[in-house]
Amino acid sequence: MRHARRRVVRRLTRLTAVGGLLLGGAMVTQAAMASETPPGSAGVLHATGGTGDTGAALVARLGTARTAGNWVGADGRPVVAVTDDAAARAVRRAGAEAKVVPHSMNELKSATTSLGSAPRVPGTAWAVDYRTNRVVVRADRTVSAGDWSRLTRVAAGIGSFVHMERTKGAFTTRLNGALPILSTGGRCSAGYNVTNGQSDFILTAGHCGPAGSTWFADNQGDRQLGNTVNSVFPGSDFSLVQYASGKAGAGAGVVAIGGGKGVRITGVADPAVGQRVFRSGSTSGLHDGRVTALNATVNYPEGTVTGLVETTVCAEPGDSGGPLFSEGIALGVTSGGNGDCTAGGTTFFQPVTKALTALGVRLLVSAQDAGGAGGGASAAPSPAPSASAAQGGMAPNAASPGTSAPVTGTSEGSTLLARLTDTRNIGPGLLVIAGSLIALVATRFIRSEQDRKAYRRHYSATWG
């Protein structure tokens, strides 16, 4: 009976080990396939002609007196707000959806101009909401009742299409890459690597520090990155940090998203309202949301910034300057906002296209051929900014960060055990295979030992 039980145990052990070998082999195969860099799916966003006109192209053709903005619908089709039936018919003929609204973009912009002419109130922000055809004015918890009342009277004098609302938290810059860069003024996040043809730079937020600020890659101040050579804030919010070595190095066209992973940046464009976007920062990592407005104005305590992109993406202190992107296309750098990544909030971004033009630099982008090595950067000029950032026929929900790549030159280390046990690598499969082989060898050895002992007992009993 004892021998029968031993045979059952040995057979079960062998079957388990064989199953482990098969499972480990499948895991290794799957991990190897997943690690292969997929062909670059991101393309430069652009406006096309004819019936494929994007919303921005239609707005440019019809004019701001007959339109009131455009956005990406839930089905991926461009939607254009128009003020008359003739414009609506032109939009539909072009293959887009038309929404007839009472107020033109000229009226809406006039309202924002009037708000900007009023006495400045820190802690307030406003933007044109294309989808509701109104101007939304927000005030955070720092705005006093008196200031709120005065601003409300200004809004009432403009018209009923100016909507007032209170918001939680406070509108602040996010000082404190999307890798961390540190100076005596605080911590920010690297945005994108750019070049003027002779030297390479980090594009980040202007409020992170004035010209002359020295930046480091570590808390000890041992790894100097470079110095801020150009900074614009307030008004806009962007700056250039020139690398001490003059060059960005390997992986310059990749932005970090945490865990040693990154996203290849292959172009630059302006975002569209309704577009799904992603933000990465050194404090909170990778988060996503949607663009809710363009040309937003924010009255930070330090000063007013205009022309910003308003989103539902969360951010926290230290995320300032980090990249905003979608499908591998650079869209903006983090400026500020309210809330956090636990409760959510509103975050504003400086458009990359405006910063590149003002600074006279171009983006360092990843090689777009699928066989490119590990996100190597190309110093070729960035694709020209698009007239529209609508993602063609892609629904906002279908957007993705972009093609993946390893991050090089980071201070983040990982142990051998961490790499072996990371399910995204082949390590777990190799561990299963190794364990199964050990189990097979062990069962074979135990059986041989048992057979040898049984033979010796039989031999002793026979000849003893």
Side-chain angles (χ1 to χ4, degrees):
M1 190 67 181
R2 183 185 303 171
H3 297 298
R5 283 198 302 268
R6 288 175 178 171
R7 284 196 298 269
V8 170
V9 171
R10 286 198 299 267
R11 287 171 182 170
L12 287 175
T13 304
R14 284 197 300 271
L15 288 174
T16 302
V18 171
L21 286 173
L22 295 175
L23 175 62
M27 291 171 67
V28 169
T29 302
Q30 183 176 4
M33 292 176 62
S35 66
E36 292 180 359
T37 303
S41 59
V44 180
L45 308 180
H46 56 86
T48 56
T51 58
D53 277 358
T54 63
L58 286 165
V59 167
R61 181 151 60 92
L62 294 171
T64 54
R66 303 178 67 195
T67 61
N70 64 282
W71 61 94
V72 180
D75 59 356
R77 291 180 62 199
V79 182
V80 181
V82 295
T83 58
D84 60 75
D85 292 335
R89 287 193 293 272
V91 168
R92 296 186 187 106
R93 282 197 300 270
E97 181 181 346
K99 180 180 180 180
V100 180
V101 296
H103 305 289
S104 70
M105 182 57 72
N106 288 347
E107 294 177 80
L108 299 172
K109 285 187 174 180
S110 177
T112 61
T113 300
S114 298
L115 289 167
S117 300
R120 180 178 179 273
V121 180
T124 59
W126 54 79
V128 176
D129 188 336
Y130 297 165
R131 284 175 281 199
T132 61
N133 193 231
R134 62 186 185 180
V135 176
V136 179
V137 182
R138 296 185 178 90
D140 65 22
R141 58 175 171 76
T142 67
V143 177
S144 67
D147 284 339
W148 176 250
S149 179
R150 284 188 288 272
L151 195 59
T152 300
R153 286 197 295 272
V154 172
I158 297 172
S160 59
F161 60 91
V162 179
H163 175 72
M164 305 288 290
E165 64 181 44
R166 283 279 195 172
T167 185
K168 296 179 180 179
F171 291 124
T172 61
T173 52
R174 295 311 196 180
L175 181 62
N176 237 1
L179 298 173
I181 54 176
L182 304 101
S183 74
T184 55
R187 176 167 62 88
C188 276
S189 298
Y192 301 96
N193 286 306
V194 297
T195 184
N196 62 6
Q198 285 79 41
S199 300
D200 295 347
F201 308 84
I202 297 171
L203 176 65
T204 187
H207 70 262
C208 288
S213 301
T214 301
W215 293 93
F216 299 89
D218 62 336
N219 291 318
Q220 291 74 37
D222 296 330
R223 297 175 55 202
Q224 182 176 337
L225 281 174
N227 298 302
T228 301
V229 294
N230 197 332
S231 180
V232 180
F233 179 82
S236 295
D237 195 0
F238 52 80
S239 65
L240 279 182
V241 176
Q242 184 172 11
Y243 279 103
S245 64
K247 294 298 178 182
V254 176
V255 296
I257 58 175
K261 303 294 183 181
V263 169
R264 289 188 177 92
I265 299 301
T266 58
V268 59
D270 290 313
V273 172
Q275 182 179 0
R276 187 185 181 196
V277 290
F278 299 80
R279 177 204 57 77
S280 185
S282 61
T283 298
S284 58
L286 182 69
H287 291 274
D288 72 309
R290 288 199 180 88
V291 175
T292 52
L294 305 175
N295 297 313
T297 296
V298 185
N299 293 298
Y300 296 123
E302 303 92 334
T304 300
V305 181
T306 61
L308 298 177
V309 179
E310 180 186 284
T311 73
T312 61
V313 189
C314 70
E316 298 182 357
D319 289 331
S320 279
L324 179 76
F325 52 94
S326 183
E327 296 296 314
I329 301 298
L331 302 173
V333 293
T334 306
S335 174
N338 68 337
D340 54 39
C341 290
T342 300
T346 299
T347 303
F348 301 94
F349 296 85
Q350 167 69 54
V352 171
T353 53
K354 180 180 177 181
L356 295 180
T357 300
L359 295 168
V361 294
R362 63 179 185 269
L363 205 65
L364 285 170
V365 297
S366 286
Q368 295 195 42
D369 58 298
S378 168
S382 301
S386 66
S388 166
Q391 299 187 80
M394 180 182 294
N397 287 337
S400 63
T403 56
S404 62
V407 177
T408 59
T410 73
S411 58
E412 298 178 6
S414 60
T415 64
L416 175 60
L417 179 60
R419 292 195 298 270
L420 286 176
T421 56
D422 188 347
T423 56
R424 294 167 297 184
N425 300 326
I426 65 173
L430 293 177
L431 288 175
V432 172
I433 291 174
S436 300
L437 287 173
I438 292 172
L440 280 175
V441 172
T443 54
R444 181 64 181 174
F445 175 77
I446 292 171
R447 181 180 178 181
S448 298
E449 282 296 300
Q450 290 174 342
D451 289 345
R452 186 176 63 84
K453 290 179 180 178
Y455 176 77
R456 289 178 60 184
R457 286 195 300 269
H458 177 74
Y459 183 85
S460 300
T462 305
W463 298 93

